[in-house]
Amino acid sequence: MSKGMFSFSSAILIDPNLFKRLKEDDCLVNGGKPLAVGYTISFTHATTFQYPLSMTTSSTVAAAVVLLLLVLFSSSQGRGAKCSKSDIMVVQSQGPPKYNGIPTYVVEILNRSPNGISISDIHVNCGWFSSADLINPNTFKRLKYNDCLVNGGRPLRAGYALSFTYTTTFKYPLSVSSIQC
C-alpha cells in the first residue's frame, strides 16, 4: 500500500493491476501481490503536478533492493545509457473555456525514460503556436515557426512532468522534434 496520495488521479489510463487507487490517500501496488527481488514496477501518469508517494508497508530486504537499484540507476546515467524522442510524451486535453468562451488546452510534457535519464534541450514541433494568455517562457517558448523549446532547454528529470495551459480558438498539434540525452 502507498500512502500520501492526495486522491491520486491521472489523465492517462494506468493498468489497475500495477497501480490502483482504493480510496483517498490509499493506493495498491501490483494488485497486493509480492514483488520478486530485483523486480520493479513503473508506469506513466499525467497530472498537473507531482504526487508525493510513500510506502506504508515494505520489508527491509525489499527496501535495500530498491535502494541498490536507485544507486545503480544513478551511476549508469551518462555511461552508455541512451534515450530517444519517444521517451518524451506530450499529452493535451481540453480545459474549461475562458470567461469569454475561448477554449483552453492543458499540455503536459512527461519524461518517461526507462533508463532514468534526464533529457534536456527538448524541442517540439508547434507551428505558429501562440496563446491569448501568457505562458512562462521558461516552461514553453516558440523560438520560430514550428520550433518550441521546453523547460528553457534545462533537463527534465526521468519520471517528472511539466505542464502549462494555453488559450486559443483551436488545439495546436504538438510533437517532439529533437532532444539531448
Side-chain angles (χ1 to χ4, degrees):
M1 300 247 187
S2 188
K3 288 284 192 182
M5 302 307 298
F6 304 102
S7 296
F8 179 89
S9 65
S10 175
I12 300 172
L13 181 64
I14 298 171
D15 182 347
N17 294 317
L18 294 178
F19 193 85
K20 179 180 180 181
R21 186 176 123 202
L22 300 174
K23 59 185 179 183
E24 185 171 336
D25 205 32
D26 193 6
C27 294
L28 187 65
V29 177
N30 198 36
K33 297 178 289 216
L35 292 175
V37 174
Y39 185 78
T40 60
I41 289 180
S42 64
F43 59 90
T44 300
H45 68 41
T47 61
T48 56
F49 65 97
Q50 183 86 14
Y51 282 102
L53 303 177
S54 63
M55 301 300 291
T56 57
T57 61
S58 67
S59 71
T60 305
V61 173
V65 168
V66 169
L67 182 59
L68 177 63
L69 288 172
L70 287 173
V71 169
L72 290 174
F73 248 157
S74 63
S75 66
S76 70
Q77 190 170 354
R79 282 196 232 148
K82 302 205 185 237
C83 69
S84 70
K85 291 190 312 185
S86 64
D87 291 341
I88 300 295
M89 183 171 153
V90 180
V91 178
Q92 286 193 75
S93 57
Q94 189 160 1
K98 292 298 247 180
Y99 61 89
N100 55 6
I102 299 175
T104 63
Y105 299 92
V106 178
V107 177
E108 293 188 286
I109 301 173
L110 304 97
N111 177 350
R112 56 185 187 165
S113 168
N115 299 323
I117 297 174
S118 293
I119 299 175
S120 60
D121 204 24
I122 303 167
H123 287 258
V124 172
N125 296 315
C126 58
W128 286 114
F129 182 88
S130 66
S131 175
D133 290 330
L134 181 65
I135 298 169
N136 182 340
N138 291 319
T139 301
F140 194 79
K141 178 181 181 179
R142 182 170 56 88
L143 303 174
K144 60 184 179 182
Y145 172 75
N146 214 29
D147 185 15
C148 289
L149 184 63
V150 175
N151 203 29
R154 295 179 308 279
L156 183 60
R157 291 177 49 195
Y160 281 72
L162 61 81
S163 66
F164 62 92
T165 301
Y166 68 94
T167 306
T168 188
T169 55
F170 63 93
K171 182 165 99 173
Y172 283 94
L174 303 174
S175 63
V176 178
S177 59
S178 68
I179 60 164
Q180 289 293 317
C181 297

mmCIF file of all heavy atoms in Angstrom, residues 163-180:
data_model
loop_
_atom_site.group_PDB
_atom_site.id
_atom_site.type_symbol
_atom_site.label_atom_id
_atom_site.label_comp_id
_atom_site.label_asym_id
_atom_site.label_seq_id
_atom_site.Cartn_x
_atom_site.Cartn_y
_atom_site.Cartn_z
ATOM 1 N N SER A 163 3.772 21.179 -16.950
ATOM 2 C CA SER A 163 2.502 21.447 -17.619
ATOM 3 C C SER A 163 2.277 22.941 -17.738
ATOM 4 O O SER A 163 2.855 23.742 -17.005
ATOM 5 C CB SER A 163 1.345 20.797 -16.859
ATOM 6 O OG SER A 163 1.179 21.394 -15.604
ATOM 7 N N PHE A 164 1.437 23.289 -18.699
ATOM 8 C CA PHE A 164 1.010 24.673 -18.890
ATOM 9 C C PHE A 164 -0.339 24.649 -19.582
ATOM 10 O O PHE A 164 -0.755 23.630 -20.136
ATOM 11 C CB PHE A 164 2.040 25.477 -19.702
ATOM 12 C CG PHE A 164 2.269 24.957 -21.093
ATOM 13 C CD1 PHE A 164 1.529 25.440 -22.181
ATOM 14 C CD2 PHE A 164 3.220 23.992 -21.340
ATOM 15 C CE1 PHE A 164 1.737 24.974 -23.463
ATOM 16 C CE2 PHE A 164 3.446 23.517 -22.627
ATOM 17 C CZ PHE A 164 2.705 24.010 -23.685
ATOM 18 N N THR A 165 -1.016 25.770 -19.535
ATOM 19 C CA THR A 165 -2.313 25.906 -20.191
ATOM 20 C C THR A 165 -2.216 27.031 -21.205
ATOM 21 O O THR A 165 -1.649 28.079 -20.911
ATOM 22 C CB THR A 165 -3.409 26.229 -19.154
ATOM 23 O OG1 THR A 165 -3.446 25.169 -18.192
ATOM 24 C CG2 THR A 165 -4.773 26.364 -19.802
ATOM 25 N N TYR A 166 -2.738 26.789 -22.403
ATOM 26 C CA TYR A 166 -2.789 27.863 -23.393
ATOM 27 C C TYR A 166 -4.225 28.108 -23.824
ATOM 28 O O TYR A 166 -5.090 27.244 -23.695
ATOM 29 C CB TYR A 166 -1.859 27.601 -24.577
ATOM 30 C CG TYR A 166 -2.211 26.454 -25.506
ATOM 31 C CD1 TYR A 166 -2.951 26.664 -26.672
ATOM 32 C CD2 TYR A 166 -1.753 25.168 -25.257
ATOM 33 C CE1 TYR A 166 -3.229 25.632 -27.551
ATOM 34 C CE2 TYR A 166 -2.024 24.134 -26.130
ATOM 35 C CZ TYR A 166 -2.766 24.358 -27.270
ATOM 36 O OH TYR A 166 -3.045 23.331 -28.139
ATOM 37 N N THR A 167 -4.480 29.312 -24.287
ATOM 38 C CA THR A 167 -5.818 29.749 -24.667
ATOM 39 C C THR A 167 -5.803 30.180 -26.117
ATOM 40 O O THR A 167 -5.052 31.073 -26.504
ATOM 41 C CB THR A 167 -6.249 30.944 -23.781
ATOM 42 O OG1 THR A 167 -6.112 30.575 -22.411
ATOM 43 C CG2 THR A 167 -7.674 31.358 -24.067
ATOM 44 N N THR A 168 -6.617 29.514 -26.927
ATOM 45 C CA THR A 168 -6.709 29.843 -28.354
ATOM 46 C C THR A 168 -7.976 29.204 -28.910
ATOM 47 O O THR A 168 -8.637 28.426 -28.226
ATOM 48 C CB THR A 168 -5.455 29.370 -29.119
ATOM 49 O OG1 THR A 168 -5.490 29.865 -30.447
ATOM 50 C CG2 THR A 168 -5.347 27.868 -29.142
ATOM 51 N N THR A 169 -8.305 29.522 -30.143
ATOM 52 C CA THR A 169 -9.540 29.014 -30.733
ATOM 53 C C THR A 169 -9.425 27.589 -31.252
ATOM 54 O O THR A 169 -10.424 26.979 -31.586
ATOM 55 C CB THR A 169 -9.995 29.931 -31.889
ATOM 56 O OG1 THR A 169 -8.924 30.058 -32.816
ATOM 57 C CG2 THR A 169 -10.405 31.296 -31.352
ATOM 58 N N PHE A 170 -8.197 27.029 -31.317
ATOM 59 C CA PHE A 170 -8.029 25.649 -31.773
ATOM 60 C C PHE A 170 -6.813 25.014 -31.104
ATOM 61 O O PHE A 170 -5.923 25.706 -30.612
ATOM 62 C CB PHE A 170 -7.873 25.581 -33.296
ATOM 63 C CG PHE A 170 -6.658 26.288 -33.812
ATOM 64 C CD1 PHE A 170 -5.461 25.608 -34.004
ATOM 65 C CD2 PHE A 170 -6.692 27.649 -34.088
ATOM 66 C CE1 PHE A 170 -4.334 26.274 -34.467
ATOM 67 C CE2 PHE A 170 -5.570 28.314 -34.557
ATOM 68 C CZ PHE A 170 -4.394 27.621 -34.739
ATOM 69 N N LYS A 171 -6.794 23.697 -31.099
ATOM 70 C CA LYS A 171 -5.697 22.955 -30.479
ATOM 71 C C LYS A 171 -4.539 22.823 -31.468
ATOM 72 O O LYS A 171 -4.728 22.384 -32.598
ATOM 73 C CB LYS A 171 -6.192 21.567 -30.059
ATOM 74 C CG LYS A 171 -5.166 20.725 -29.356
ATOM 75 C CD LYS A 171 -5.813 19.541 -28.653
ATOM 76 C CE LYS A 171 -5.692 18.293 -29.465
ATOM 77 N NZ LYS A 171 -6.149 17.101 -28.753
ATOM 78 N N TYR A 172 -3.339 23.226 -31.022
ATOM 79 C CA TYR A 172 -2.147 23.076 -31.859
ATOM 80 C C TYR A 172 -1.647 21.633 -31.777
ATOM 81 O O TYR A 172 -1.535 21.086 -30.678
ATOM 82 C CB TYR A 172 -1.018 23.995 -31.381
ATOM 83 C CG TYR A 172 -1.197 25.436 -31.769
ATOM 84 C CD1 TYR A 172 -1.796 26.326 -30.896
ATOM 85 C CD2 TYR A 172 -0.750 25.904 -33.005
ATOM 86 C CE1 TYR A 172 -1.951 27.659 -31.245
ATOM 87 C CE2 TYR A 172 -0.904 27.232 -33.349
ATOM 88 C CZ TYR A 172 -1.512 28.101 -32.470
ATOM 89 O OH TYR A 172 -1.676 29.420 -32.822
ATOM 90 N N PRO A 173 -1.321 21.032 -32.919
ATOM 91 C CA PRO A 173 -0.670 19.720 -32.845
ATOM 92 C C PRO A 173 0.769 19.910 -32.346
ATOM 93 O O PRO A 173 1.505 20.720 -32.889
ATOM 94 C CB PRO A 173 -0.710 19.211 -34.290
ATOM 95 C CG PRO A 173 -1.018 20.374 -35.147
ATOM 96 C CD PRO A 173 -1.583 21.448 -34.280
ATOM 97 N N LEU A 174 1.130 19.199 -31.303
ATOM 98 C CA LEU A 174 2.467 19.311 -30.709
ATOM 99 C C LEU A 174 3.128 17.934 -30.723
ATOM 100 O O LEU A 174 2.511 16.947 -30.310
ATOM 101 C CB LEU A 174 2.377 19.811 -29.268
ATOM 102 C CG LEU A 174 1.665 21.144 -29.033
ATOM 103 C CD1 LEU A 174 1.527 21.426 -27.540
ATOM 104 C CD2 LEU A 174 2.399 22.278 -29.730
ATOM 105 N N SER A 175 4.371 17.881 -31.186
ATOM 106 C CA SER A 175 5.124 16.622 -31.181
ATOM 107 C C SER A 175 6.596 16.919 -30.984
ATOM 108 O O SER A 175 7.099 17.970 -31.392
ATOM 109 C CB SER A 175 4.902 15.848 -32.487
ATOM 110 O OG SER A 175 5.393 16.594 -33.586
ATOM 111 N N VAL A 176 7.300 16.002 -30.370
ATOM 112 C CA VAL A 176 8.723 16.175 -30.083
ATOM 113 C C VAL A 176 9.512 16.127 -31.386
ATOM 114 O O VAL A 176 9.330 15.209 -32.199
ATOM 115 C CB VAL A 176 9.232 15.099 -29.108
ATOM 116 C CG1 VAL A 176 10.714 15.240 -28.847
ATOM 117 C CG2 VAL A 176 8.456 15.153 -27.805
ATOM 118 N N SER A 177 10.379 17.123 -31.599
ATOM 119 C CA SER A 177 11.202 17.133 -32.802
ATOM 120 C C SER A 177 12.657 16.769 -32.517
ATOM 121 O O SER A 177 13.308 16.136 -33.334
ATOM 122 C CB SER A 177 11.140 18.509 -33.489
ATOM 123 O OG SER A 177 11.591 19.518 -32.629
ATOM 124 N N SER A 178 13.192 17.180 -31.344
ATOM 125 C CA SER A 178 14.570 16.824 -31.005
ATOM 126 C C SER A 178 14.792 16.911 -29.505
ATOM 127 O O SER A 178 14.061 17.625 -28.805
ATOM 128 C CB SER A 178 15.559 17.706 -31.742
ATOM 129 O OG SER A 178 15.488 19.034 -31.283
ATOM 130 N N ILE A 179 15.814 16.187 -29.033
ATOM 131 C CA ILE A 179 16.178 16.155 -27.611
ATOM 132 C C ILE A 179 17.692 15.999 -27.493
ATOM 133 O O ILE A 179 18.358 15.692 -28.478
ATOM 134 C CB ILE A 179 15.499 14.988 -26.875
ATOM 135 C CG1 ILE A 179 15.915 13.664 -27.516
ATOM 136 C CG2 ILE A 179 13.998 15.135 -26.833
ATOM 137 C CD1 ILE A 179 15.622 12.456 -26.674
ATOM 138 N N GLN A 180 18.186 16.176 -26.276
ATOM 139 C CA GLN A 180 19.581 15.855 -25.940
ATOM 140 C C GLN A 180 19.569 14.952 -24.719
ATOM 141 O O GLN A 180 18.900 15.252 -23.741
ATOM 142 C CB GLN A 180 20.385 17.122 -25.624
ATOM 143 C CG GLN A 180 20.668 17.988 -26.811
ATOM 144 C CD GLN A 180 21.603 17.325 -27.809
ATOM 145 O OE1 GLN A 180 22.579 16.714 -27.426
ATOM 146 N NE2 GLN A 180 21.277 17.458 -29.085
#
